Amino acid sequence: MNTIAADQPDPQWVLTLSCIDGPGIVHAISGAVVAAGGNIAESQQFASADTGRFFMRLQVEAVAQPETFETRFESAVSPVTQRYNMTWRLDRVGRPVRTLVLASTATHCVNDLLYRQRGGQLPIEVPLILSNHETVRDIAEFYGVPFEHRAIANPADRAAFEARVLEAVEEHDIELVVLARYMQILSPELCAALEGRAINIHHSFLPGFKGANPYKQAHQRGVKLIGATAHFVTTDLDEGPIIEQDVARVDHSYSPRELVQLGQDEEARVLRRAVNWFAENRVLVDGDRTIIFR
Amino acid sequence: MNTIAADQPDPQWVLTLSCIDGPGIVHAISGAVVAAGGNIAESQQFASADTGRFFMRLQVEAVAQPETFETRFESAVSPVTQRYNMTWRLDRVGRPVRTLVLASTATHCVNDLLYRQRGGQLPIEVPLILSNHETVRDIAEFYGVPFEHRAIANPADRAAFEARVLEAVEEHDIELVVLARYMQILSPELCAALEGRAINIHHSFLPGFKGANPYKQAHQRGVKLIGATAHFVTTDLDEGPIIEQDVARVDHSYSPRELVQLGQDEEARVLRRAVNWFAENRVLVDGDRTIIFR
Amino acid sequence: MNTIAADQPDPQWVLTLSCIDGPGIVHAISGAVVAAGGNIAESQQFASADTGRFFMRLQVEAVAQPETFETRFESAVSPVTQRYNMTWRLDRVGRPVRTLVLASTATHCVNDLLYRQRGGQLPIEVPLILSNHETVRDIAEFYGVPFEHRAIANPADRAAFEARVLEAVEEHDIELVVLARYMQILSPELCAALEGRAINIHHSFLPGFKGANPYKQAHQRGVKLIGATAHFVTTDLDEGPIIEQDVARVDHSYSPRELVQLGQDEEARVLRRAVNWFAENRVLVDGDRTIIFR
Amino acid sequence: MNTIAADQPDPQWVLTLSCIDGPGIVHAISGAVVAAGGNIAESQQFASADTGRFFMRLQVEAVAQPETFETRFESAVSPVTQRYNMTWRLDRVGRPVRTLVLASTATHCVNDLLYRQRGGQLPIEVPLILSNHETVRDIAEFYGVPFEHRAIANPADRAAFEARVLEAVEEHDIELVVLARYMQILSPELCAALEGRAINIHHSFLPGFKGANPYKQAHQRGVKLIGATAHFVTTDLDEGPIIEQDVARVDHSYSPRELVQLGQDEEARVLRRAVNWFAENRVLVDGDRTIIFR
């Protein structure tokens, strides 16, 4: 969580990496930390039997001279990342992630994210909310977040909306796009452009339902659990790598509308967790699935 | 649960009914209880907006002369059930339900059911376990339950197995057939013959997976929850009315084999609850869904 | 939930009652419903073995002439409630309950309640928030709820604050007082004055901890679950009848501050459910415990 | 879980250690792994802000010559463990832990442990069950586990029972003592002798209850959750470091006896997890709390 800074006042850095698995990786990486005068405060790793890849997340604190630590650490770790042909990323713990939020009419996810962002419980900053409806404008204004409305009435509008998304990503140097119940299907081009940095949330049921009005179908089939899934956006829209899932218990007495309400609570909770973990560099992708370093 | 007898020593009866909804039903039924000299100890009802049907479950205790209460109550309630064209059933609270268990190689569900049955926590009696494998024989023998093995190597074997199921249902006056991980597909004829009195258990995922080895697919897709669903058997095998569902949390570090183990724990828990509720006359069917009067 | 009106457009009434248990109660009550030309849409009852009391909640819809139904129903039910010496209450389904909110510095509970109230998910109206701090003022203003700040620096201030509470209860005909993390101990006099209509929320742990900073103690003892309990206020402040409880899973890596955050999420969820059930007349008190008719 | 051997056929070793935190530990340990020709398959660490101690769990597989790996690894790691003054332990992954089970009349925990042990889901072997009652004898015999009954009617009996425990620990080289609902209070001497290797299970409630018959108290107070806690035995019997906790939801309609049944299910689940994690060297003690490396 983003409160580490407050609990541990020393500045910290987070290193995430992945590479083909093999002997000596941890030793080499930890050697770079020692060489840079750092101390490993937190470390998690996973070797994927499916893909043969190794994944690691390291939180490192500077033992001395924190102001120049980042440069020293990058110098020390660079030969290691090259030797193992690593994909890697170094970040500052607690740094707010620049996040673009896309919305439609539903308010529950936007409200939850902004409430927590303001309260210092979610390390994101939101330079813009883009929506094809006006519904969340007053929430955005209350939380002091710029809001922009662009109606979508036809395919040309949608193309223009998507062009604005890409422009905003560029303009604000966006790191994460959150589809907070943005109810439009993204074009394959936009999905591809945002791969690995766009998170979507949708309801989930056992069994799954195809077609319109899934809550009504869930009611008709008498499901005993309703849930939500947060996942990365891919061109296969609701099938990207899963980041988080949760469910709530229901019974036969719930009307379709009550199912929707409870489902929205789950959506807000699940999306909040997924965004938080992403912002803390806890989410790594391993083929079609995610590694979550909690 | 089946411990009511112990907590409340007076004998009780349970009445379950359903009919087209309309005014006066509760008044008429409660009038019959009063007329028979009974007291309503527990009552639940539900009016289904989907089907327009009314459902009720009543536990009634005899205030005086319990030995003749059943006859008095049947006489009193009979005109009411006729007037409203009710489907109804009167049973003794705590009476063990005659249950036929079908099994294959997996032991977890059979073991859980028999352990609880012996401990007085599950109001069933099991005159026979039929299996196409020998695996659960020693468990059956430990719990003193007759076990019969019939191998299934070809379609003729399966037809013979199913004929034996129907024969056993007849012979032991079976009220409930539990498919405790019986891994054969039932013929449409058997499904039809057992409609409303056969419960199956299977794994559940969000999203659902088609085809072979669903746990491997769940692993590859990195699901965060795995679950189980107990439902009535219908000709559409895994799509009958859902009785109970539950899930357990997993993460990327679980191997397919560990997912199977955890999934089995969920299957045993969910099946146990479904069987218990059925045996206590708490499960009523409303079209494609169940009403569970807990 | 408060969406019944939307799902079922006909106006409905809710009757809650309790009395000494005995034969004939359901029959008498349902007779009054029939006599008034009503139909029972929902019914739940419970006979408490501990206190010998009977509890019932009935939702009734008018079959004809809904505008005069309430009068007819009251006339019909009145002899019954007198005969059985019932405590009873008749209310309109979906009517917002007049709720006074007391707050201090924490925002999470107030924010959650007001967000849901505005969204039509919580059938309350809030004529006033009283707080001994300014923290929730902007949230109150955003949601258009009157806010009043009264600092508490000494016992005299507290007495004045409590006098203002009682005055506001009178002035706005308050039905429910919610202590939304109001961190002051209430005087026995105020507790007594608000008995049965004031709900408090606090953290809960296994095992419980006495004394200051329970989250720190929970951290030091390495608890694996943290939770929250909503209960009625009694003179024994944290020991009133429990309305709702829930927990979240934690592990050794959570800092005390992270425990606080997660605990706040639980507090908001648990309080919201308790307030909702109270507002829907689903909470009845049976000695030291509650009956919740979900 | 103990299925790693099956999923990953190469033999693996698990190293657990703790020491005063400081720079260079991970680098030194991983250097030893490399020097011994090993590969880190799994690694978890935690730096305790409370005690200043560092904890680590490492699963290592031999890249070549596995038959001599253990010797090589011990030689390589030994200087490191000395330099940092580490408490450490090297074990074979999947090796069954020699476990002494103490029981009284309740069967649920013993049955659950033995069922899973036989099914290869719990890496323990049980050379002996000692009980002051005969109740679990037939379960022990079914699972082929030696059972010994010693009645406890007076303090002298208890002292003799405890002497037999210590003798059995010696005789069978016991690594873990499980109090599977052994309802006797252990003497301070026995607690001290078994410190860090005896696990107890008991019910847990919010709030906690003192004195006799806690389920009855829980019923009277109308708790909405009942749970169980597994913890290490210390001289402060129910206050040792917590290993695992879980809860189940209940409502006002549960009788005290039903609460007991549901509580037993929770006890069996929670104890099973705690024993499994201990047996897999996933439980480390940090002062009054545990680090669980899942």
Side-chain angles (χ1 to χ4, degrees), chain D residues 57-107:
Chain D
R57 181 186 187 277
L58 221 63
Q59 270 186 220
V60 177
E61 59 191 356
V63 176
Q65 296 174 283
E67 63 286 349
T68 58
F69 177 77
E70 187 164 3
T71 315
R72 297 198 312 273
F73 187 39
E74 284 195 332
S75 303
V77 90
S78 183
V80 179
T81 59
Q82 282 171 31
R83 190 192 330 154
Y84 288 97
N85 195 24
M86 288 171 175
T87 303
W88 65 289
R89 174 187 168 86
L90 186 66
D91 202 355
R92 185 75 174 262
V93 169
R95 183 185 65 79
V97 164
R98 291 177 300 279
T99 304
L100 174 66
V101 173
L102 306 187
S104 288
T105 56
T107 62

Side-chain angles (χ1 to χ4, degrees), chain A residues 6-7 107 115-116 138 255 257, chain C residues 6-7 107 115 255 257 265:
Chain A
D7 294 322
T107 62
Y115 171 73
R116 283 161 204 283
D138 65 346
S255 69
R257 186 167 166 178
Chain C
D7 293 322
T107 62
Y115 171 74
S255 70
R257 187 166 167 181
D265 288 348

Side-chain angles (χ1 to χ4, degrees), chain D residues 19-20 38 72 76 119 125 129 139 146 155 161 170-172 174 178 180 221 237 258 279 291:
Chain D
C19 62
I20 306 291
R72 297 198 312 273
E125 54 181 284
I129 298 178
I139 294 173
F161 193 99
E170 190 76 15
E171 179 187 341
H172 297 287
I174 291 299
V178 176
R221 286 281 281 117
L237 186 59
E258 289 167 340
I291 312 301

